[in-house]
Structure formats: structure tokens, C-alpha cells
Amino acid sequence: MDDRLKSELAAWLEFYRDLGLGEFYRREPEARIEMRKSKIENRGQSATEAFTTSGKRAAVLPIAIPEPRVASPEPRVPVITPPPAALSLFEAPPAPRRERETLDEIQQDLGDCQRCKLAPTRNKIVFGQGDPHAALVFIGEGPGADEDEQGLPFVGRAGKLLNRMIQSIDMKREEVYICNIVKCRPPANRTPEKDEVEACSPFLFRQIQAIQPKLICCLGAPAMKTLLGIKEGITRVRGQIFDFASTKVLVAYHPAYILRNPREEKTLREDFEKIREFLKARP
Ligand code: URA
């Protein structure tokens, strides 16, 4: 296998791993795979597709593709630094099924994280809270002052509203899992920056893989952009359900936005009703 192909494969493996897919199998008779840039039909969206030498399509980048009325998300191709582990996964004979990573293991790996510029100003890392096997995961933006102080997500005013919304669909906070796209408080509660999200989101993706929820609810635009790559305004996208790896994602307004615009609480309630219906249909 030449070096270019190796690094392309490594990038694929890393991409899938970031999406929460941890098991890879070698396709035997047609092991040679060629990457091509292509367009996904009618969506005008660039994607990378993998073709076998016989020209058969082997795989397509699993980007969540919103319906055409939604602006095309940028392909979420990760920074390509081939991890030796990913390469050896492909080279080695099929490995025994790996046990699913636990949230505790991920938290241990995160440790006293210094991977981005939020570390020096944070008080506590806010890893996440809730049922490690939750069917429903909420993802917010980043800890605020209360969360930074307590080390727990959504414990301030926005958290109280989130709790009420969860109760409105006859669920308890302890039954769901709540986390954020960054685990440290951005100074003055500003929106997390790209490099911060890039440093932190691999841990979020691993959390999602560990929990394997039926549904993820993105609270606000930053979570929506991080998971789905959608750049369109949240107003046009909220209430819709998208694919993310093997799970589904519903986009809703952030509770902090509702606190500033109380008239929109009705909209948030409607979206929570969609959550209820979705989960009811998938017991
Ligand atoms: N806002 C968020 O996005 N996350 C929190 O944990 C708290 C407030």
C-alpha cells in the first residue's frame, strides 16, 4: 500500500472514530480502495467517496445531509494526522470486538485537560452529567459561570428552564445525559472558538459513542454546527431531525435564547414534544 493511500485510509478511520464509530473491518477481496472527490447527487455538496479497484463504490462520507432547502454543510473532514493505531487497525487481521469505552475512561483520558486556551481560565471542567445509557442526550454550547463553579452542566438559569422542559415530556433530568461542545467556560461566556471546539469535540464524540443514545438534541447553533456542519440559521432548521453516524439529531433553540425571548418558549415546547414522540416510537 503506498503512503498516500495509507494516509487517506488513516484519515477515513480517524473521521469515523470522531463520529463515534469505533469498529472497522477489512474488506477482503477488494482491499484496494481509491478515494475520489465527487458530488452528492442534487445536493451540490462535495464529498469524498471510496471506490474499489473494480469501480464499485465502497463507502461514502457519512455527512448528515439536510434536505435541499437547508444550506449544504461543509464536509466535516478532520485535520489529517494519521494515528498509528488507526493504521494498524486496518493492517492487522480482524481484531476481536472491542469493549465499548466507558464515560469514566473518557473522563480519565481527558484528565486535567490543557489541550486548548480555555484551560487557564476555567475553574472546573464540566464533563457531563446523567445516565451513561441515556436514550436522550442534550448538547449545549459551553459552561457558564454556575457550571464552571460546580463542574456540572446546565445548573444555572438556562439549566432550570431545561429541567422544566425535560419534565414537560414526563422525563427526569437523571434519565438523560447532558453535556456541551466544550467542557471549559469560555471567558465572559463568549461562543467557543474553532480551535477550542476542535480540541474538545473528539471527547464529545467519544461520549456519544459510549452512550449510544437514540436521539441527540442540539441546544443552539454552536452544537448544531459542531455535529451537523450546518451553517444555515437555526430558525430554519430547528425542529428537524438529522442523521449523525448511527443516531438521530434534533435541533432546538438554546434555553438561554428562550430566557431572552420568552415568546419563543412555545417553540421550544413544540420541539420537546417532537422528542417525546420520537422516543415513544422507539421504546
Ligand atoms: N449553557 C450551556 O450551553 N451549557 C451549560 O452547561 C450551561 C449553559
Side-chain angles (χ1 to χ4, degrees):
M1 190 188 298
D2 68 35
D3 286 347
R4 189 188 61 85
L5 191 55
K6 265 188 192 167
S7 66
E8 279 178 352
L9 281 167
W12 271 79
L13 291 170
E14 185 174 4
F15 175 80
Y16 281 117
R17 202 184 51 182
D18 283 352
L19 284 178
L21 301 172
E23 286 165 7
F24 305 98
Y25 299 93
R26 186 172 181 163
R27 186 187 291 267
E28 262 318 319
E30 300 177 307
R32 285 182 61 76
I33 288 173
E34 183 194 325
M35 302 302 202
R36 292 182 200 164
K37 284 275 174 213
S38 69
K39 293 271 179 200
I40 290 181
E41 259 180 308
N42 298 329
R43 303 280 169 92
Q45 181 188 9
S46 298
T48 303
E49 295 183 83
F51 290 84
T52 63
T53 39
S54 61
K56 241 167 81 185
R57 193 162 70 178
V60 182
L61 214 62
I63 310 162
I65 307 164
E67 285 310 304
R69 71 179 202 76
V70 177
S72 302
E74 261 185 8
R76 299 192 57 257
V77 181
V79 183
I80 299 174
T81 39
L87 259 184
S88 62
L89 258 176
F90 188 83
E91 299 280 19
R97 278 180 159 262
R98 192 183 169 283
E99 285 295 314
R100 216 196 289 173
E101 197 174 31
T102 66
L103 290 174
D104 285 346
E105 285 164 352
I106 299 165
Q107 193 163 11
Q108 265 182 26
D109 186 21
L110 182 70
D112 180 30
C113 186
Q114 304 292 326
R115 291 171 180 82
C116 86
K117 61 185 185 301
L118 296 179
T121 53
R122 72 157 183 253
N123 186 18
K124 288 194 176 147
I125 295 180
V126 180
F127 181 73
Q129 185 187 35
D131 181 349
H133 307 293
L136 175 61
V137 168
F138 289 98
I139 303 179
E141 185 175 325
D146 296 309
E147 291 76 21
D148 178 62
E149 199 179 298
Q150 298 182 40
L152 295 170
F154 282 95
V155 287
R157 281 184 67 224
K160 302 256 172 337
L161 176 53
L162 178 60
N163 292 349
R164 274 204 282 124
M165 288 293 155
I166 293 171
Q167 282 160 12
S168 79
I169 54 167
D170 299 314
M171 292 186 79
K172 298 190 185 93
R173 184 177 160 116
E174 310 80 77
E175 285 177 74
V176 305
Y177 191 84
I178 306 175
C179 52
N180 286 298
I181 54 172
V182 294
K183 300 187 184 335
C184 296
R185 184 189 182 197
N189 298 342
R190 64 158 168 73
T191 304
E193 291 173 359
K194 191 166 173 274
D195 57 323
E196 296 156 2
V197 175
E198 277 172 5
C200 213
S201 56
F203 290 92
L204 172 64
F205 296 145
R206 285 166 64 186
Q207 285 170 284
I208 294 170
Q209 185 185 24
I211 300 167
Q212 297 199 355
K214 292 191 177 120
L215 182 66
I216 297 169
C217 175
C218 282
L219 296 168
M224 169 188 86
K225 283 182 197 158
T226 301
L227 259 73
L228 303 173
I230 296 173
K231 285 190 172 159
E232 187 158 345
I234 189 167
T235 308
R236 297 190 58 192
V237 177
R238 58 136 284 276
Q240 294 186 43
I241 293 181
F242 298 89
D243 286 314
F244 174 76
S246 56
T247 189
K248 301 281 177 191
V249 176
L250 180 132
V251 176
Y253 285 141
H254 194 289
Y257 170 78
I258 305 300
L259 291 174
R260 294 192 300 272
N261 301 275
R263 277 197 302 194
E264 292 288 2
E265 182 166 329
K266 190 173 144 285
T267 318
L268 190 60
R269 277 188 188 280
E270 281 169 20
D271 291 344
F272 269 70
E273 284 304 322
K274 287 188 184 146
I275 294 177
R276 189 212 294 270
E277 280 163 29
F278 181 95
L279 293 177
K280 200 169 136 198
R282 292 160 188 82

